[in-house]
Amino acid sequence: MEISIIRFPGTNCEVDTYNAVKKVLGTTSTILSCKDTVIPRSDLIIIPGGFSYGDYLRSGAIAAREPIMSDLIKKAKNGVNILGICNGFQILTECNLLPGALLKNSTLKFISKITNIQITRNDTFFSKDYDKNQSVKIPVAHHDGNYFVDQETLRAIEENDQVAMRYAEPINGSLNNIAGLYNNSFNILGMMPHPERAIDNQTGSNDGIKLFQSMLKSMSL
Amino acid sequence: MKARVFIRLKSEVLDPQGQAIESALKNLNENNIKNIRQGKLIEMDIEAKNVEEAKKSIENITVKLLANTVIEDYKIEIE
């Protein structure tokens, strides 16, 4: 089971993500620099949260054009599983691996709190340990989490059941309360909530464990 | 040659920053200003044989990086 985590200047959740993988999956992962041009063979690539390049230009815009991204895009298209958390989600939309864009929160506030999230489906690489439509508590911490896409694409996303999770109530202006999204082949998940911050009840919730357990189960099959 | 790229959110995209500026102006009793939208201006020098060629290059980098056409419109000026 090979897991790679990509770090950009300004990424700040790579160690939490590494620790969550180690705790739940019982394996060490490799933290790669965005200046690398080749990602070693991986069963899962994680783009962790943070503020790559200080959110200059647009969140994720500079990171999405870094050298490592060509190989990531190639691997994504070959079916390698990719998880983008928070800034990772923004980067995945900026390189067109996921549709749409993440705008500034409609409240203009940075939102940092444990949030009620509904997991929509439980038959993907990332979700098989959850129940269908399960309500969970996972923290969010973002300024640009307001999901936007044109109406036609939004309809297609909903018809294909690509919405991975929704906020239980509106928090940031996201269309259809979208908090997480799959690509149309379901090997890529982008999500604003931070599952790596919800693996121990001491921090308020351990509902993120199941996401990591789901991935472990999927990779062990 | 000098090039300027004006980038703004598409009209159907909510602009909370513009709304915040508008509410600050109301605090200053500037009540005759409405519909504020905030955008970006990116300036650069470019080497090109003519305006046409410069415009083509700038258009290319704008679509590739400067603007996100999912949410933004842009306008290019060369002089």
Side-chain angles (χ1 to χ4, degrees):
Chain A
M1 194 160 41
E2 303 295 332
I3 301 171
S4 301
I5 298 173
I6 300 176
R7 172 172 51 200
F8 300 87
T11 296
N12 62 13
C13 296
E14 75 278 21
V15 175
D16 284 357
T17 305
Y18 176 94
N19 288 339
V21 167
K22 194 166 179 193
K23 183 175 170 182
V24 184
L25 282 73
T27 185
T28 55
S29 40
T30 310
I31 298 181
L32 301 171
S33 158
C34 61
K35 302 295 179 195
D36 292 348
T37 49
V38 178
I39 302 171
R41 201 203 70 76
S42 305
D43 302 296
L44 169 67
I45 302 169
I46 306 178
I47 310 181
F51 299 87
S52 57
Y53 289 94
D55 284 350
Y56 291 176
L57 192 61
R58 298 175 303 275
S59 325
I62 311 285
R65 280 85 182 169
E66 283 288 52
I68 204 162
M69 293 307 288
S70 317
D71 196 35
L72 184 133
I73 291 167
K74 200 169 90 192
K75 286 188 160 62
K77 293 194 168 152
N78 286 336
V80 173
N81 298 291
I82 296 179
L83 170 64
I85 302 167
C86 198
N87 190 221
F89 185 9
Q90 294 159 344
I91 293 168
L92 290 173
T93 61
E94 274 288 341
C95 62
N96 295 321
L97 286 175
L98 289 172
L102 291 139
L103 299 166
K104 287 196 172 33
N105 295 340
S106 56
T107 54
L108 275 185
K109 288 186 176 135
F110 188 97
I111 304 171
S112 177
K113 62 176 183 184
I114 292 181
T115 309
N116 293 315
I117 305 281
Q118 191 195 34
I119 306 288
T120 54
R121 51 190 294 173
N122 67 340
D123 58 349
T124 69
F125 177 87
F126 306 91
S127 67
K128 46 186 59 143
D129 230 37
Y130 288 107
D131 296 328
K132 197 170 160 57
N133 298 323
Q134 186 176 344
S135 293
V136 297
K137 288 183 189 297
I138 302 182
V140 298
H142 61 246
H143 196 267
D144 299 358
N146 176 359
Y147 183 76
F148 179 87
V149 74
D150 65 87
Q151 283 299 315
E152 197 184 326
T153 313
L154 183 64
R155 259 196 306 277
I157 287 168
E158 292 287 0
E159 273 169 24
N160 292 340
D161 282 331
Q162 282 174 246
V163 177
M165 55 194 79
R166 298 180 205 269
Y167 305 109
E169 57 276 318
I171 63 162
N172 56 16
S174 272
L175 287 177
N176 295 7
N177 285 328
I178 290 173
L181 190 67
Y182 295 111
N183 66 333
N184 56 14
S185 19
F186 297 91
N187 63 316
I188 304 177
L189 168 62
M191 59 188 289
M192 291 312 296
H194 284 270
E196 81 283 7
R197 295 188 190 178
I199 56 158
D200 191 319
N201 267 331
Q202 285 184 24
T203 57
S205 169
N206 63 5
D207 287 345
I209 288 181
K210 286 193 169 176
L211 186 127
F212 290 96
Q213 275 171 347
S214 298
M215 298 192 292
L216 173 63
K217 222 178 241 182
S218 303
M219 286 189 281
S220 313
L221 287 177
Chain B
M1 270 178 273
K2 297 253 178 228
R4 288 194 194 93
V5 183
F6 297 87
I7 298 165
R8 59 181 182 185
L9 286 171
K10 287 182 175 173
S11 56
E12 66 267 31
V13 178
L14 182 78
D15 178 15
Q17 291 188 107
Q19 290 176 344
I21 296 168
E22 207 167 306
S23 82
L25 285 173
K26 288 214 165 62
N27 293 340
L28 299 172
N29 293 322
E30 297 289 347
N31 294 313
N32 52 347
I33 310 283
K34 285 199 173 62
N35 300 325
I36 292 190
R37 310 274 297 168
Q38 181 184 324
K40 280 178 241 187
L41 164 61
I42 301 178
E43 292 179 310
M44 65 210 90
D45 293 333
I46 175 167
E47 282 175 32
K49 289 195 202 86
N50 51 46
V51 172
E52 203 73 337
E53 190 189 281
K55 204 164 181 179
K56 218 167 153 188
S57 312
I58 299 292
E59 173 104 30
N60 183 33
I61 63 158
T62 301
V63 175
K64 230 193 303 195
L65 175 64
L66 303 185
N68 178 343
T69 54
V70 175
I71 48 169
E72 293 167 330
D73 288 329
Y74 60 87
K75 197 177 85 184
I76 296 167
E77 275 182 13
I78 312 270
E79 67 181 41

